[in-house]
Amino acid sequence: MKIIDILHLAYDYIRLDENDKVAEQNRALSDLNLQIEEGSFVCVLGHNGSGKSTLAKLLNGLNLPTEGTVFVGGMDTRREDQLWDIRRETGMVFQNPDNQIIGAVVEEDVAFGPENIGVPTAELWERVNRALEAVKMGAYRLKSPNRLSGGQKQRVAIAGTMAMLPRCIVLDEPTAMLDPSGRAEVIRTVEELNRTAGITIILITHYMEETVRADRLLVMDNGHLVMDGSPRQIFSEVQRLKAYRMDVPAVTELAWRLHRSGMPLTVPVLTREELVDALRGLLPKQTEFEPDFVKRAPKHEEITDPILRVEGLSQVYQQGTAMESHALRQLSFSVQRGSITAIIGHTGSGKSTLVQHLNGLLRGTEGRILVRFREPIPAGASGFSDIYAKDFPMKELRFKVGLVFQYPEYQLFEIDVLRDVMFGPKNQGFSEAAAKERAEEALRMVGLPEELWQKSPFELSGGEKRRAAIAGVLAMKPEILILDEPTAGLDPAGREDMFRQIESLHRQEGMTILLISHSMDDVARYAEQVLVLDQGELRMSGTPEEVFRRYRELETMGLGAPQMTYLVQELKEAGIRFESRPDTVEEAAEAILSLYRRAGGALLPDRDNGGDSESRKGKEGEPCSER
């Protein structure tokens, strides 16, 4: 039975001028026809601006069609008298949890929805308890949402929707701000709701690994539905997906690369288990073939020229009261000048709190923060300046240490993008012309097209806002750039673009970059140094290779390792060993192909014409349908 029936749907975003006349009209969805069966698990994929979030808002009447019809449980979203029932049927979880959290404490917020639809008190609190435990937020039930991290707020928003027990839940990037274990827990929870309660799940995501157990994948591009099929059908078309700015799961990408190089693998491969089974028959076991590898210790990052030194930093909130809580505990570390240093930790581990100390937004309860810039602020004999010294110029520090927050829209406020980016240099004392020159240079540096410079920053997409916010910091020419989850909510190609910009800044400007990320794959690929926080304490530090070797410890902290780290471990358990532990798809492909060659396997030149028909269609099923 259909729960969603969409017929010839179109939606336009309209901007009015000061006289309420149409100044701009953009079509976000065009002639969309789609049916979703009740009880199914459907994932919607697409690049930023493809129409995914617009579609989500049309499913419960937050937006109404410009053309066409949306039926939910047989009810027409255009009928005002049916909207209340439609919204009871279709729960929404948004990308930014601040858009839907309203309670003074967590349990009140989760109870708000069921209370408003008249759920009896005893059942209401049973629902609240069940929902909070499902998202691992039971311990925070009496906390104010304002004191939670971004990821913790997202869990509360999901719990509030779960407590409503709707027939359908639409989740718009619900795990974008969660740590790896939180992300896995939320996906397990929605899968369980789908499987045991028969709730229809419509999941919008940019994490391809979250989609492999779905019944159906829908791929959007510029307002059109362009691919529709099972995960195996969709992920068989790797290059077509990449053309739509999409990606595939890491193991799917690895198997595809190996297949293109001539290894006799059946593609697509969706899970690590499938790939291990396939490679078990192609690669030699240790007892059969001893590679002439020399065991080596992992690389180590030496701190020879620190730009930043933190000594014994602690942060205690509401000290001396019954509500006393420790956000940071005796942190000590140094950051190498010109490095990309990643800060990782579970949601609420203290990452965002820490970086707000580094440019003086917060002051530690104990400890010191020392900096040593190329253009020095007056320093002591060691060349370091203590930012807590009485005469330290805190305004200068904020020009030297630029911070881009989790939600870049919170940093944008001017009437157009160019003026917004000019604000920092003007605040530094530069003339209008010099500030404009710096702003234009920064906007080009982050790749924001010139046609957007005169637009309001609030008209930009999420990825464009993030670039504008970064440009606003870069225009002040900081020596340290702090990026708090810079790629959250970006499509795969957008993530790649963002990291290319980050690497370019690092390489060309010699800028020191501190990167907060929940993506272990991104950390493995781009970082040179990793700091691991847990409950406000520094538990590990070292290179990605050093840190990810201890992946079992990371798991106990709510983290994990890159997909390739787990794959190599599972191959090791199957008797297949490598000289080192590859943490990226590229490293894993190189290691596997090298072992295959050593065992006498024949390889073909890389088929960069897109692969043969097998790599495009796969061995199983027909190609996915097109719209």
Side-chain angles (χ1 to χ4, degrees):
M1 183 175 75
K2 291 180 291 191
I3 189 168
I4 305 288
D5 193 5
I6 295 172
L7 303 171
H8 301 293
L9 175 65
Y11 185 79
D12 294 337
Y13 284 104
I14 296 173
R15 183 171 66 84
L16 302 178
D17 61 19
E18 61 274 12
N19 299 316
D20 288 335
K21 292 184 178 180
V22 175
E24 190 174 358
Q25 185 167 345
N26 294 310
R27 177 142 291 198
L29 294 173
S30 300
D31 196 28
L32 185 64
N33 292 281
L34 174 66
Q35 291 77 43
I36 293 176
E37 294 297 312
E38 184 159 17
S40 61
F41 182 7
V42 177
C43 291
V44 184
L45 311 177
H47 58 78
N48 294 116
S50 63
K52 306 183 306 298
S53 295
T54 300
L55 174 61
K57 291 173 185 174
L58 286 156
L59 293 180
N60 77 343
L62 287 175
N63 289 342
L64 299 179
T66 302
E67 299 171 12
T69 315
V70 177
F71 292 103
V72 178
M75 295 175 286
D76 188 341
T77 61
R78 295 173 302 180
R79 288 187 52 177
E80 192 171 339
D81 61 324
Q82 294 185 339
L83 277 180
W84 177 252
D85 290 328
I86 286 171
R87 288 171 184 162
R88 289 181 62 177
E89 297 273 280
T90 308
M92 289 283 298
V93 177
F94 296 103
Q95 187 179 55
N96 186 342
D98 287 329
N99 293 341
Q100 64 188 108
I101 290 180
I102 57 173
V105 296
V106 165
E107 66 174 17
E108 288 179 4
D109 194 87
V110 177
F112 179 82
E115 187 174 32
N116 269 301
I117 60 174
V119 174
T121 301
E123 184 186 344
L124 183 148
W125 290 111
E126 185 181 331
R127 288 193 191 188
V128 169
N129 293 339
R130 200 161 54 235
L132 285 172
E133 289 307 313
V135 297
K136 304 297 186 191
M137 288 296 290
Y140 297 84
R141 63 185 309 133
L142 298 179
K143 296 266 189 184
S144 165
N146 294 328
R147 301 304 297 272
L148 301 180
S149 70
Q152 289 169 327
K153 289 178 182 178
Q154 189 65 284
R155 294 191 199 192
V156 173
I158 292 169
T161 300
M162 288 177 173
M164 296 279 288
L165 297 182
R167 288 172 63 194
C168 176
I169 299 179
V170 181
L171 303 106
D172 188 0
E173 287 284 341
T175 62
M177 304 308 299
L178 297 185
D179 56 54
S181 67
R183 203 155 57 228
E185 184 65 35
V186 167
I187 295 302
R188 277 197 298 272
T189 302
V190 297
E191 287 177 349
E192 186 71 13
L193 284 170
N194 173 249
R195 186 168 54 252
T196 61
I199 295 175
T200 305
I201 300 294
I202 301 174
L203 173 66
I204 297 171
T205 183
H206 287 140
Y207 288 104
M208 300 300 108
E209 281 77 12
E210 294 178 353
T211 71
V212 295
R213 287 187 294 275
D215 300 315
R216 183 179 173 196
L217 305 187
L218 308 174
V219 181
M220 306 282 296
D221 180 59
N222 296 325
H224 295 88
L225 180 61
V226 293
M227 299 175 77
D228 181 353
S230 70
R232 198 167 297 278
Q233 290 170 331
I234 296 296
F235 291 140
S236 71
E237 305 205 37
V238 177
Q239 290 198 313
R240 186 174 170 202
L241 281 168
K242 289 178 182 291
Y244 290 134
R245 297 179 61 85
M246 287 288 94
D247 210 340
V248 295
V251 291
T252 307
E253 170 91 14
L254 174 58
W256 180 71
R257 285 173 177 252
L258 298 175
H259 173 81
R260 281 164 52 94
S261 295
M263 285 187 70
L265 281 172
T266 297
V267 292
V269 171
L270 299 187
T271 65
R272 292 199 308 269
E273 292 78 10
E274 287 181 25
L275 188 52
V276 169
D277 284 345
L279 293 176
R280 190 183 280 120
L282 296 172
L283 298 180
K285 292 185 172 59
Q286 195 77 2
T287 54
E288 300 168 2
F289 171 67
E290 292 289 341
D292 56 348
F293 293 145
V294 178
K295 198 71 176 173
R296 63 174 180 80
K299 286 188 305 181
H300 182 68
E301 175 78 2
E302 294 291 340
I303 309 297
T304 56
D305 181 18
I307 189 173
L308 171 71
R309 183 175 287 162
V310 174
E311 297 179 350
L313 182 66
S314 295
Q315 178 69 57
V316 183
Y317 290 121
Q318 296 176 292
Q319 193 170 20
T321 72
M323 301 294 287
E324 178 176 300
S325 63
H326 291 256
L328 301 175
R329 298 173 185 266
Q330 292 293 311
L331 296 187
S332 295
F333 61 87
S334 296
V335 173
Q336 176 77 359
R337 186 185 308 278
S339 68
I340 298 180
T341 295
I343 303 173
I344 64 175
H346 59 80
T347 300
S349 63
K351 304 183 301 297
S352 296
T353 300
L354 168 61
V355 297
Q356 289 178 67
H357 285 75
L358 301 183
N359 75 344
L361 289 177
L362 294 176
R363 184 185 179 96
T365 310
E366 296 178 42
R368 299 196 305 167
I369 298 175
L370 306 173
V371 293
R372 187 172 65 180
F373 298 120
R374 289 195 186 95
E375 298 175 8
I377 291 170
S382 66
F384 282 94
S385 304
D386 183 347
I387 73 168
Y388 294 150
K390 183 181 290 187
D391 59 347
F392 186 88
M394 197 60 74
K395 184 176 179 181
E396 288 296 316
L397 176 71
R398 289 168 187 153
F399 296 145
K400 297 283 191 181
V401 182
L403 174 56
V404 180
F405 293 103
Q406 277 183 349
Y407 300 112
E409 55 268 32
Y410 293 170
Q411 287 179 252
L412 304 173
F413 59 91
E414 273 283 11
I415 61 171
D416 62 49
V417 170
L418 184 61
R419 289 173 187 269
D420 204 285
V421 179
M422 288 172 62
F423 179 82
K426 288 177 73 173
N427 208 27
Q428 287 177 285
F430 286 94
S431 67
E432 183 85 9
K436 185 180 180 190
E437 184 178 336
R438 279 193 167 211
E440 290 176 348
E441 180 186 1
L443 286 164
R444 291 190 184 96
M445 206 177 289
V446 299
L448 199 65
E450 197 165 338
E451 59 266 23
L452 299 179
W453 296 0
Q454 302 304 322
K455 282 198 166 193
S456 164
F458 304 106
E459 294 177 32
L460 305 182
S461 71
E464 290 164 347
K465 285 178 181 174
R466 198 164 271 111
R467 289 172 190 262
I470 292 174
V473 173
L474 291 180
M476 294 184 288
K477 296 191 180 297
E479 291 194 34
I480 298 176
L481 176 63
I482 302 174
L483 300 167
D484 193 349
E485 292 287 351
T487 63
L490 295 187
D491 59 56
R495 285 202 299 270
E496 288 292 318
D497 289 346
M498 182 62 68
F499 275 114
R500 272 197 293 272
Q501 298 295 337
I502 292 169
E503 281 195 305
S504 176
L505 289 169
H506 171 241
R507 187 173 57 253
Q508 296 176 17
E509 305 292 324
M511 193 175 290
T512 304
I513 294 172
L514 295 184
L515 169 69
I516 294 179
S517 180
H518 282 141
S519 170
M520 301 302 102
D521 291 286
D522 289 341
V523 169
R525 191 171 180 184
Y526 297 105
E528 296 153 292
Q529 179 184 4
V530 183
L531 306 174
V532 183
L533 296 190
D534 179 43
Q535 303 294 337
E537 298 181 19
L538 181 64
R539 294 295 178 86
M540 295 185 204
S541 66
T543 63
E545 189 177 355
E546 287 176 311
V547 167
F548 292 132
R549 283 168 71 93
R550 300 166 64 182
Y551 66 94
R552 295 296 185 200
E553 291 176 65
L554 291 172
E555 288 174 342
T556 67
M557 302 177 203
L559 295 170
Q563 286 292 310
M564 295 301 102
T565 300
Y566 290 110
L567 176 68
V568 169
Q569 179 61 29
E570 289 165 10
L571 287 170
K572 180 180 176 182
E573 291 166 2
I576 300 165
R577 296 171 183 270
F578 302 95
E579 67 163 330
S580 62
R581 185 184 299 278
D583 291 317
T584 69
V585 169
E586 294 84 356
E587 291 170 355
E590 184 180 339
I592 291 170
L593 291 171
S594 175
L595 193 55
Y596 184 65
R597 287 189 196 97
R598 287 171 178 268
L603 295 176
L604 300 174
D606 186 27
R607 286 172 282 187
D608 55 8
N609 63 352
D612 60 13
S613 59
E614 281 185 11
S615 67
R616 291 194 301 270
K617 280 180 59 175
K619 292 276 191 178
E620 300 182 39
E622 295 299 318
C624 58
S625 62
E626 299 182 29
R627 299 295 177 110

